[in-house]
Structure formats: C-alpha cells, structure tokens
C-alpha cells in the first residue's frame, strides 16, 4: 500500500515538474516577462498572507498588480512568432497549453475588466452583496468579485481538464497555479538585475 502511494505521489510530482517546465520553456523567454513574473510572484505572496484577514484586499492586489503584470509580460513582451529554441510554432504552443492559453486569457481578463462596470451598474450584484456607499465599500465589493472570479476560473479549468484530459492533469494544474508564486520567485529572482544590467549596457552614447 505504501509503495503504491509513494509511486502515485512520485508520478504526481513528475507531472507537476513537467507542466512547470513546459510553461517556463514555452512562455517565459523574454527577460522583461520574467521580471514582471517576479513582481507578480512577490505580490501574490503578499496576497497569500493577507487573504485570511482581508480577502477583498488580497484579491485587489492579486488582480490589480499580480495578474496585470504577468499577463502584460505574456501579451506585450513574449514573442509570438516561431519558437526557434523549442522548434515549434506559436499556434502549436497555444494548442497544447494545459491551462489558460492567450485566447482563454483574453476571455478571463475581459471578465476582470468588465466587473467594475457591472458593479457600478448594479451595486447589489443582483442581491449578492450590500450596495456600496462610498469608495472603500466599492473596493471591498470589487475585491470580493475578483476573488470569486479567480476561484471560479481556477475551479472551472480544473474540472474542465478532468473531462478533456484526466483527473490527475487537472489536479496537477491546480497545484501548479497555486504554487506558481513560490516557483516564479525562485526562477526569476535574478531577472530584474539582469534586465537592469542589460539596459545599462545598451545605454545610448555608451562606448562600444
């Protein structure tokens, strides 16, 4: 029994390492993107600490800083042409992406961007929350909306993977997402320094 459980755990860890490696090698070539992921990781770690006390504030940090910085890295700085390093097309990477590829992220980020408009148009959210009476209560309600969106997005894709892949793939992906801040901090902690040194080397007027 213990041997079988150890084998399953080892397989789960191998699967997790594989998903992390694929994510890194396919979608994190650019040094600016890596630096933004480091900023995102730090902010998410802060959000993890305060979510138990102020979940609305944790969600504002998670979406307002962490998600926008990391997705900006993917959309605006990561190359979308043929991947010479991995010898594959961008379309291939998008097709095999386990989690949210760029097309799915457009939908997710669109829902995030639209949510403040919905809250302003319907302050009670169809009776789900107490209508805001000022800026702070609006931010609290917005933060709880964003928290629900984040949890919902995680659960939706996890369950979807249960059906289109298998249960283990979904559970591994959910574990990867929840632990990404720790992994990204470790992987990309040197990226801002490398980016600063590269920018200094490229400074206009610097002798070649």
């Amino acid at each position: 029994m213990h041997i079988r459980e150890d084998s399953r755990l080892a397989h789960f860890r191998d699967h997790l390492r594989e998903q992390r490696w694929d994510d890194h090698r396919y979608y994190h070539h650019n040094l600016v993107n890596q630096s933004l992921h480091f900023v995102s990781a730090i902010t998410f770690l802060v959000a993890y600490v305060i979510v138990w006390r102020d979940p609305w504030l944790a969600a504002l940090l998670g979406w307002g800083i962490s998600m926008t910085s990391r997705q900006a890295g993917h959309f605006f700085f990561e190359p979308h042409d043929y991947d010479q390093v991995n010898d594959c097309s961008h379309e291939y990477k998008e097709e095999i992406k386990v989690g949210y590829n760029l097309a799915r992220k457009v939908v997710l980020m669109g829902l995030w961007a639209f949510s403040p408009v919905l809250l302003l148009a319907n302050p009670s959210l169809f009776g789900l929350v107490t209508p805001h009476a000022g800026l702070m209560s609006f931010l609290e309600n917005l933060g709880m909306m964003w928290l629900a969106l984040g949890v919902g997005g995680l659960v939706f894709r996890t369950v979807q993977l249960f059906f289109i892949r298998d249960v283990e793939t979904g559970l591994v992906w959910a574990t990867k997402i929840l632990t990404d801040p720790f992994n990204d901090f470790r992987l990309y902690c040197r990226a801002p320094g490398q980016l600063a040194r590269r920018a200094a080397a490229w400074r206009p007027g610097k002798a070649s």
Side-chain angles (χ1 to χ4, degrees):
M1 178 66 70
H2 291 297
I3 294 177
R4 181 179 298 177
E5 290 177 354
D6 290 344
S7 177
R8 288 178 178 175
L9 183 58
H11 186 269
F12 187 92
R13 288 174 175 169
D14 288 342
H15 197 169
L16 180 59
R17 278 193 290 268
E18 180 183 358
Q19 284 196 22
R20 283 176 172 167
W21 171 239
D22 284 347
D23 189 50
H24 170 71
R25 69 190 180 109
Y26 284 142
Y27 285 96
H28 299 89
H29 294 199
N30 184 271
L31 200 55
V32 175
N33 186 29
Q34 292 180 6
S35 299
L36 289 172
H37 272 64
F38 177 66
V39 172
S40 173
I42 293 175
T43 311
F44 263 131
L45 292 175
V46 172
Y48 278 5
V49 172
I50 67 175
V51 69
W52 310 106
R53 184 189 64 193
D54 296 308
W56 64 273
L57 181 57
L60 290 180
L61 288 174
W63 280 98
I65 299 177
S66 295
M67 283 294 286
T68 53
S69 59
R70 73 193 293 115
Q71 301 314 327
H74 285 302
F75 280 104
F76 303 119
F77 296 101
E78 199 66 26
H80 298 159
D81 51 5
Y82 192 85
D83 186 346
Q84 299 289 346
V85 175
N86 296 292
D87 191 23
C88 63
S89 67
H90 178 72
E91 290 73 20
Y92 171 78
K93 292 191 292 186
E94 287 287 277
E95 182 181 351
I96 66 169
K97 176 74 171 177
V98 174
Y100 282 87
N101 60 17
L102 293 184
R104 299 184 194 108
K105 287 176 180 179
V106 167
V107 175
L108 186 64
M109 297 304 290
L111 292 173
W112 164 75
F114 177 72
S115 55
V117 179
L118 178 61
L119 187 58
L120 287 172
N122 193 320
S124 71
L125 280 182
F126 310 100
L128 294 175
V129 300
T130 301
H132 58 270
L135 178 60
M136 284 305 299
S137 57
F138 172 78
L139 291 176
E140 289 179 10
N141 287 344
L142 180 62
M144 295 309 293
M145 272 188 77
W146 285 355
L147 181 63
L149 178 62
V151 173
L154 177 66
V155 172
F156 174 80
R157 184 58 179 172
T158 300
V159 174
Q160 189 180 42
L161 286 170
F162 289 171
F163 292 97
I164 64 176
R165 297 287 184 89
D166 52 70
V167 171
E168 182 180 273
T169 298
L171 293 177
V172 168
W173 177 77
T175 303
K176 174 192 170 298
I177 292 299
L178 292 172
T179 57
D180 264 350
F182 303 95
N183 192 57
D184 288 351
F185 183 93
R186 178 183 61 84
L187 282 179
Y188 306 127
C189 60
R190 295 182 176 85
Q194 293 173 353
L195 186 63
R197 289 191 292 272
R198 183 174 296 181
W202 290 346
R203 189 169 60 244
K206 186 178 178 65
S208 58

